[in-house]
Amino acid sequence: MLTGKHLIAGEWIGSATTYASDPAHGPSHDFAVGTSAHVDAAVEAAEEAFASFGWSTRAERAALLRRIADEIDARGDAITEIGTQETGLPDARLQGERGRTIGQMRLFAEYIEKGDYLDLRHDPALPDRAPLPRPDLHMIQRPLGPVAVFGASNFPLAFSVAGGDTAAALAAGCPVVVKGHPAHPGTGEIVAQAIDAAIKATGVHPGVFSVIQSSGTEVGTALAQHPLIRAVGFTGSLRAGRALFDLCAARREPIPFFGELGSINPMFILPQAATARGADIAAGWAGSLTIGAGQFCTNPGIAIIIDGSDADVFQSAAEAELSGMASQTMLTDGIAEAYREGVARVAGGTGATQIMGTNCDSRHAAPCLFVVSGDDWLADHRLQEEVFGPLGVVVRARDTTQMQQIARSIEGQLTCTLHMDDADRDTARALLPLLERKAGRLLANGFPTGVEVCDSMVHGGPYPASTNFGATSVGTLSIRRFLRPVCYQDIPPDLLPEKE
Ligand code: NAP
């Protein structure tokens, strides 16, 4: 079923001999490596497609999104089979993620049909107004044009070829060019086959969607710099995200770069909750920390608790839970290597003590637990950096004042969590205004892994959690990234792109 080729505007092209995937299990496959010439072809086709797709009706785009969902569903077994081989993720995880991917396509179809996202505003003409008449003014949110999407390694379906960025951009009316992630090229190709089939079935311009297989930076760099690309959606590391953000900003005509770069997602365990149910919170934390081998951007990497006997109970319970957990296969050798480096970095942090955990072989990771005092954590910035994998740090704060100091000191986060009981309300009231400035999502008595795809979700946050704190990459609000407001003054109503 795999060709190893790129899909460029409805054609499968490229010679599939230049790059072999490095799967976790099963056979390796050959894939083509994209070049800037492929980027030019895909982006020019996308620009041509925008002439019609940008003016397509919402019903036409909803039909395309629903058909994509159906075509992905129809290829479910093939996707799971290659997905497990490539990523090492279990069947159930890939089936669940497929459900989410299909669900978000259908959610966007429903959402654009309602039309609220257009934020239509109309100030009717006041021809008799003195001293000056008012013209007729319509404001409509309009699609930007071709969008580049970078597939993420850790969500081979929901944040990749047909993931949230692609769904939001297509829903808005923007053609999409995807840079495939080299960690799951086969999964990406089968999903691309589904989108290709949907495009052919619905009669949409084929330039609306392309995927370029790629390993290395040439394709990504060319996409971010291409003058016809109007925005970029990205999920991945701070290093790569920052490099691409800088490229987008340095263009002659800068474009928005929507990078979701992850965070350490601090969890504050307030005193009464710690006394009442510290061991239960520790058990929940251990589960959230290790799900998917900890390869989630919402992984709650640090737990802040007041030093003392409750902290002892919490720490011992976390250690006991994590000690019973086996090592897991990481997504790529590179990510496993980065995890080992992260463990070493934390181990070298000021005052950090490793409580449990061992290093593993090339593609596996075992949970690791560290403890550090609030003073040392505040003194050493290395302890604030994300470790992508199942690593937790217990930060033992002196008192609630130091908890507030820690809240003030943290960088931008996707999430911050409070574990609190009724008697903790005053402590929570003091922390919330601090944390609200740091994170896109605030939780009470829960765990941040498991991001709901819905209207209210915000999956973003101040830098470095994301490069654009006004945006979310999950949920229906994410469509706003690919729209811009246009005011139509005295344009005859039948010429407007959307009618009231
Ligand atoms: P990555 O290194 O950030 O790469 C993501 C994508 O960007 C890949 O397609 C990569 O291409 C491309 N890329 C990397 N550097 C680039 C550059 N300078 N210019 C243009 N394109 C560039 O992420 P990854 O491979 O998925 O994982 C590596 C690390 O990223 C992990 O260890 C983890 O720390 C972090 N990560 C974080 C999240 C999160 O949600 N926060 C998710 C995934 C990964 P090639 O791979 O083809 O070179």
Side-chain angles (χ1 to χ4, degrees):
M1 288 182 80
L2 293 178
T3 68
K5 298 184 176 186
H6 318 292
L7 169 65
I8 297 186
E11 304 288 332
W12 292 90
I13 63 163
S15 108
T17 53
T18 33
Y19 146 59
S21 67
D22 177 27
H25 317 293
S28 181
H29 295 280
D30 290 333
F31 291 91
V33 175
T35 63
S36 15
H38 294 119
V39 170
D40 286 344
V43 176
E44 279 159 24
E47 176 69 11
E48 190 186 304
F50 185 59
S52 54
F53 195 61
W55 284 71
S56 58
T57 65
R58 287 179 276 130
E60 285 164 347
R61 295 200 298 283
L64 172 66
L65 295 170
R66 290 197 174 100
R67 186 64 188 249
I68 292 173
D70 294 345
E71 296 287 348
I72 291 174
D73 212 8
R75 290 163 177 77
D77 291 343
I79 290 170
T80 302
E81 189 184 337
I82 186 81
T84 50
Q85 288 175 11
E86 289 186 323
T87 63
L89 295 170
D91 283 22
R93 156 70 196 275
L94 284 165
Q95 284 154 3
E97 200 181 315
R98 189 173 78 241
R100 172 174 166 172
T101 307
I102 290 167
Q104 67 196 5
M105 283 285 166
R106 294 187 176 136
L107 178 69
F108 271 109
E110 225 173 89
Y111 182 61
I112 58 171
E113 279 171 343
K114 283 191 271 180
D116 302 355
Y117 79 98
L118 293 165
D119 192 14
L120 295 179
R121 293 158 192 234
H122 182 203
D123 293 294
L126 298 174
D128 302 327
R129 189 179 69 174
L132 289 173
R134 183 172 79 182
D136 185 64
L137 298 155
H138 283 271
M139 193 292 290
I140 305 174
Q141 296 282 348
R142 298 291 297 142
L144 298 180
V147 166
V149 169
F150 284 69
S153 58
N154 58 339
F155 279 88
L157 299 168
F159 275 89
S160 192
V161 171
D165 288 346
T166 298
L170 292 177
C174 298
V176 170
V177 180
V178 175
K179 183 230 180 270
H181 198 288
H184 55 263
T187 313
E189 181 183 330
I190 297 180
V191 172
Q193 288 172 6
I195 299 180
D196 186 36
I199 285 176
K200 289 183 170 130
T202 51
V204 170
H205 189 297
V208 155
F209 183 78
S210 295
V211 175
I212 304 173
Q213 298 285 12
S214 146
S215 176
T217 56
E218 180 178 348
V219 167
T221 304
L223 272 173
Q225 292 185 317
H226 199 291
L228 294 174
I229 288 290
R230 312 314 304 160
V232 179
F234 173 94
T235 301
S237 66
L238 177 58
R239 183 191 49 79
R242 182 63 203 230
L244 288 162
F245 171 85
D246 288 344
L247 277 183
C248 288
R251 289 165 50 125
R252 194 185 65 77
E253 189 186 356
I255 54 167
F257 175 83
F258 298 102
E260 192 270 270
L261 312 179
S263 55
I264 53 170
N265 304 292
M267 217 176 70
F268 293 81
I269 302 155
L270 304 194
Q272 293 307 319
T275 305
R277 51 199 166 82
D280 289 345
I281 297 169
W285 184 44
S288 184
L289 202 58
T290 52
I291 187 170
Q295 300 165 115
F296 284 125
C297 39
T298 51
N299 183 7
I302 67 165
I304 302 124
I305 189 164
I306 307 237
D307 199 13
S309 56
D310 290 338
D312 292 342
V313 170
F314 175 83
Q315 199 174 299
S316 306
E319 181 184 357
E321 286 291 330
L322 291 168
S323 299
M325 291 180 179
S327 69
Q328 296 179 63
T329 311
M330 301 292 271
L331 292 159
T332 64
D333 288 346
I335 288 175
E337 178 60 27
Y339 178 65
R340 284 192 287 276
E341 285 168 14
V343 173
R345 190 180 69 238
V346 174
T350 309
T353 304
Q354 185 157 6
I355 301 170
M356 53 89 41
T358 50
N359 254 335
C360 284
D361 65 21
S362 65
R363 192 74 181 252
H364 292 83
C368 288
L369 187 63
F370 287 82
V371 64
V372 66
S373 71
D375 287 331
D376 285 335
W377 194 84
L378 283 164
D380 190 345
H381 190 269
R382 284 174 299 174
L383 295 167
Q384 282 213 22
E385 291 169 21
E386 180 186 46
V387 179
F388 198 63
L391 179 143
V393 180
V394 179
V395 181
R396 296 175 73 128
R398 239 180 298 117
D399 49 25
T400 55
T401 305
Q402 188 167 60
M403 267 192 174
Q404 290 173 25
Q405 226 181 324
I406 290 171
R408 269 193 206 92
S409 79
I410 56 175
E411 299 188 300
Q413 304 290 330
L414 293 168
T415 72
C416 288
T417 301
L418 296 176
H419 285 280
M420 55 176 286
D421 279 358
D422 276 351
D424 290 313
R425 276 173 186 273
D426 287 343
T427 315
R429 198 170 279 115
L431 277 171
L432 268 176
L434 306 175
L435 298 179
E436 180 192 79
R437 296 185 64 187
K438 304 286 183 172
R441 179 161 58 109
L442 300 174
L443 298 83
N445 297 328
F447 296 94
T449 41
V451 181
E452 189 70 28
V453 182
C454 61
D455 292 334
S456 316
M457 182 47 63
V458 175
H459 190 62
Y463 187 86
S466 85
T467 54
N468 188 315
F469 56 71
T472 171
S473 64
V474 175
T476 52
L477 193 61
S478 68
I479 198 173
R480 292 296 294 267
R481 297 173 300 166
F482 306 126
L483 296 165
R484 69 187 178 87
V486 177
C487 177
Y488 298 83
Q489 182 169 331
D490 288 333
I491 302 289
D494 62 308
L495 296 185
L496 293 177
E498 296 279 351
K499 317 286 179 285
E500 275 175 288

